[in-house]
C-alpha cells in the first residue's frame, strides 16, 4: 500500500467519524430542544415583523422584558334629578384601588401577576377588572367595577345626608376604542406598554367611540338599618362617537412624552333616575360629551432600563333638565423595567 493511499484512507475515516459525531450531537439535543428552538425562531420572526415605518418606530432589543408596576384607580360619580317634586343630589366616590404587579414579556408574549395588599388584608372589598389593548391601528381601554365602597354627600331637598361605604352598590362599565390614522409612524404601545420604541416625534388624528354604563342603587343593608331611607336607583348608559389627536414627543434618546385626547359626542343615552318606584328619564338625544385623556412620561436608561408614569382618564359631561349623571374614572400607573 502506497503512502498516498494510506493518507487518503486516514482522511476518509476522520471525515466519517466526525460526521457520525455531528449527527449524534444533533440527535442528542432531543426533540424537546429542537421544538424550543423552532418556537423561538418563529416568535423572533413574528416579533420583528413591524407594522410601523422603522425610521420612526422599532422593536427594542432583547428577548425578555421584566416590569414592576404600581397601579392606582378611582371613580367619582355626580348625579342629580327631580322626582315627585323631590330634588335629589349625590356626590360620591369609591375607595382607591392600589395594586402591585410583576410582568415578564418574552418576544411579545406576556405573563404577569398582580397583588392588592388592601384586598389581602380584607380592607378593600370592591371588584375591578381592567383590559388594555394597544396595536398599531386599533386600541381599546375597558374597565368593569363592582363597588360597595361608594360614599359621599347626598341631598334631598334641603336635607343633607352622609352615605357610608355599604349604603349603596355600584356596577359600572367603561369602554373607549380608537383608530389611529397615522399608524405607520405613531405608536400607542411605545408610550403605554414599551413593546416598541418611538425613535422620532410623530402624531396622529384619532377616531373612536366611548361608552359609560351601569347602575347605583341603595343596598339592602341600608334599608334594614333605616326604614325611612328612600329606595333610589340611578342608571347611566350613554354612547358617544368622535375624534381627537395624539402625539409622541421624543427628546433625544432618553425621553418620550405622550398626550392624546379623544372627545366624543353622546348620540344616544338611557339615563334615568328612580326614587321609590317613580322613574324619570333623560332625553335620549341630547348634546353631551365623554372625554378620554391619555398622558405618559417614559425615561430610558440605555441600553437596558426604563421607567415612567402613565395616566388614563374617562370623563363624562352630561347635563339634562331631568337627570344628570357625570362620571370621572382614572388610572395612574408607575413602572420600572429592564430588558435582557
Amino acid at each position: 500500500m502506497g503512502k498516498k493511499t494510506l493518507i487518503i484512507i486516514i482522511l476518509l475515516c476522520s471525515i466519517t467519524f466526525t460526521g457520525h459525531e455531528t449527527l449524534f450531537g444533533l440527535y442528542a439535543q432531543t426533540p424537546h430542544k429542537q421544538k424550543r428552538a423552532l418556537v423561538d425562531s418563529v416568535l423572533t420572526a413574528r416579533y420583528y415583523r413591524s407594522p410601523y415605518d422603522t425610521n420612526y418606530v422599532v422593536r427594542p432589543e432583547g428577548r425578555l422584558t421584566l416590569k414592576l408596576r404600581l397601579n392606582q384607580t378611582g371613580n367619582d360619580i355626580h348625579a342629580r334629578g327631580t322626582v315627585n317634586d323631590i330634588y335629589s343630589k349625590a356626590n360620591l366616590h369609591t375607595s382607591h384601588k392600589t395594586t402591585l404587579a410583576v410582568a415578564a414579556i418574552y418576544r411579545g408574549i406576556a405573563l404577569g401577576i398582580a397583588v392588592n395588599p388592601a384586598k389581602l388584608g380584607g380592607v378593600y372589598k370592591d371588584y375591578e377588572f381592567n383590559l388594555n389593548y394597544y396595536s398599531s391601528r386599533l386600541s381599546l381601554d375597558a374597565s368593569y367595577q363592582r363597588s360597595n365602597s361608594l360614599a359621599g354627600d347626598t341631598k334631598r331637598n334641603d336635607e343633607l345626608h352622609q352615605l357610608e361605604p355599604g349604603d349603596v352598590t355600584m356596577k359600572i362599565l367603561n369602554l373607549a376604542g380608537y383608530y389611529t390614522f397615522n399608524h405607520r409612524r405613531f405608536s400607542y404601545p411605545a408610550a403605554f406598554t414599551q413593546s416598541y420604541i418611538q425613535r422620532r416625534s410623530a402624531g396622529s388624528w384619532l377616531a373612536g367611540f366611548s361608552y359609560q354604563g351601569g347602575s347605583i342603587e341603595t343596598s339592602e343593608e341600608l334599608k334594614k338599618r333605616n326604614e325611612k331611607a328612600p329606595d333610589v336607583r340611578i342608571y347611566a348608559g350613554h354612547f358617544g362617537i368622535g375624534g381627537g389627536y395624539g402625539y409622541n414627543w421624543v427628546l433625544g434618546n432618553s425621553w418620550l412624552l405622550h398626550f392624546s385626547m379623544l372627545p366624543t359626542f353622546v348620540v344616544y343615552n338611557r339615563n334615568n333616575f328612580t326614587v321609590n318606584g317613580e322613574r324619570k328619564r333623560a332625553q335620549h338625544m341630547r348634546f353631551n360629551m365623554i372625554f378620554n385623556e391619555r398622558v405618559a412620561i417614559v425615561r430610558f436608561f440605555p441600553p437596558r432600563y426604563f421607567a415612567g408614569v402613565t395616566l388614563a382618564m374617562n370623563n363624562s359631561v352630561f347635563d339634562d333638565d331631568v337627570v344628570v349623571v357625570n362620571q370621572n374614572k382614572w388610572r395612574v400607573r408607575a413602572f420600572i423595567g429592564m430588558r435582557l
Side-chain angles (χ1 to χ4, degrees):
M1 181 182 296
K3 187 175 182 180
K4 291 183 178 180
T5 304
L6 181 61
I7 293 174
I8 292 173
I9 293 173
I10 293 173
L11 289 173
L12 287 174
C13 290
S14 175
I15 293 172
T16 301
F17 280 107
T18 302
H20 277 295
E21 289 173 0
T22 303
L23 291 174
F24 180 77
L26 288 173
Y27 181 78
Q29 286 185 352
T30 72
H32 175 71
K33 291 185 178 180
Q34 294 176 8
K35 289 180 181 179
R36 188 173 63 181
L38 178 61
V39 170
D40 186 70
S41 64
V42 171
L43 289 178
T44 301
R46 173 183 173 273
Y47 183 75
Y48 285 107
R49 190 184 304 121
S50 176
Y52 296 101
D53 179 347
T54 54
N55 291 317
Y56 284 81
V57 182
V58 297
R59 282 287 197 184
E61 294 297 329
R63 296 184 178 186
L64 180 65
T65 300
L66 301 176
K67 297 176 71 174
L68 179 65
R69 299 185 305 209
L70 179 66
N71 309 294
Q72 188 170 80
T73 62
N75 202 347
D76 300 324
I77 305 291
H78 307 280
R80 68 176 186 268
T82 301
V83 180
N84 292 335
D85 297 325
I86 298 177
Y87 174 76
S88 300
K89 181 179 180 181
N91 296 307
L92 308 173
H93 58 84
T94 63
S95 296
H96 294 167
K97 175 188 175 183
T98 303
T99 59
L100 184 65
V102 178
I105 304 96
Y106 181 81
R107 297 299 197 203
I109 306 298
L111 179 65
I113 184 172
V115 176
N116 185 340
K119 188 82 170 180
L120 295 176
V123 178
Y124 184 86
K125 298 181 180 180
D126 292 352
Y127 171 82
E128 184 172 347
F129 173 78
N130 289 279
L131 172 66
N132 310 108
Y133 171 77
Y134 302 110
S135 70
S136 59
R137 300 192 187 198
L138 299 175
S139 298
L140 176 69
D141 289 321
S143 68
Y144 173 77
Q145 187 175 18
R146 186 179 69 238
S147 173
N148 292 315
S149 68
L150 208 61
D153 299 322
T154 65
K155 182 178 182 181
R156 296 189 67 210
N157 288 335
D158 295 329
E159 296 181 10
L160 292 176
H161 301 276
Q162 180 71 28
L163 279 181
E164 301 295 337
D167 289 347
V168 297
T169 59
M170 180 185 74
K171 299 176 183 178
I172 201 155
L173 174 67
N174 288 272
L175 293 173
Y178 25 98
Y179 177 85
T180 302
F181 286 98
N182 190 18
H183 53 80
R184 292 279 295 161
R185 297 181 175 180
F186 170 80
S187 173
Y188 259 106
F192 290 94
T193 65
Q194 296 76 53
S195 57
Y196 286 90
I197 294 178
Q198 185 87 38
R199 300 180 64 187
R200 296 183 181 180
S201 300
S204 177
W205 292 103
L206 309 170
F209 72 90
S210 299
Y211 174 79
Q212 290 186 344
S215 64
I216 302 172
E217 55 188 313
T218 52
S219 66
E220 293 299 326
E221 288 76 9
L222 177 61
K223 297 174 187 177
K224 292 177 181 179
R225 191 173 67 250
N226 184 0
E227 296 181 355
K228 295 182 179 180
D231 186 4
V232 178
R233 183 179 186 270
I234 304 168
Y235 179 83
H238 30 260
F239 178 82
I241 57 175
Y245 190 79
Y247 193 78
N248 282 344
W249 187 17
V250 179
L251 299 176
N253 295 321
S254 301
W255 292 92
L256 171 63
L257 307 181
H258 168 94
F259 175 79
S260 61
M261 177 177 284
L262 179 69
T264 60
F265 298 92
V266 175
V267 296
Y268 183 76
N269 84 85
R270 296 181 59 198
N271 294 0
N272 60 70
F273 201 120
T274 304
V275 178
N276 295 329
E278 294 292 330
R279 178 173 298 180
K280 291 292 184 178
R281 293 180 174 86
Q283 299 179 32
H284 290 317
M285 303 297 293
R286 191 172 178 88
F287 179 79
N288 288 284
M289 300 191 71
I290 303 174
F291 293 92
N292 303 281
E293 305 97 354
R294 305 289 182 267
V295 178
I297 303 174
V298 185
R299 173 74 160 91
F300 297 97
F301 304 90
R304 292 186 177 185
Y305 303 98
F306 58 91
V309 179
T310 65
L311 169 66
M313 296 185 66
N314 304 89
N315 311 105
S316 63
V317 180
F318 191 88
D319 197 1
D320 186 86
D321 297 333
V322 180
V323 179
V324 174
V325 182
N326 298 327
Q327 181 190 186
N328 302 301
K329 180 74 169 65
W330 55 268
R331 186 196 71 229
V332 177
R333 171 174 291 170
F335 59 88
I336 58 173
M338 68 175 180
R339 297 187 174 100
L340 302 175

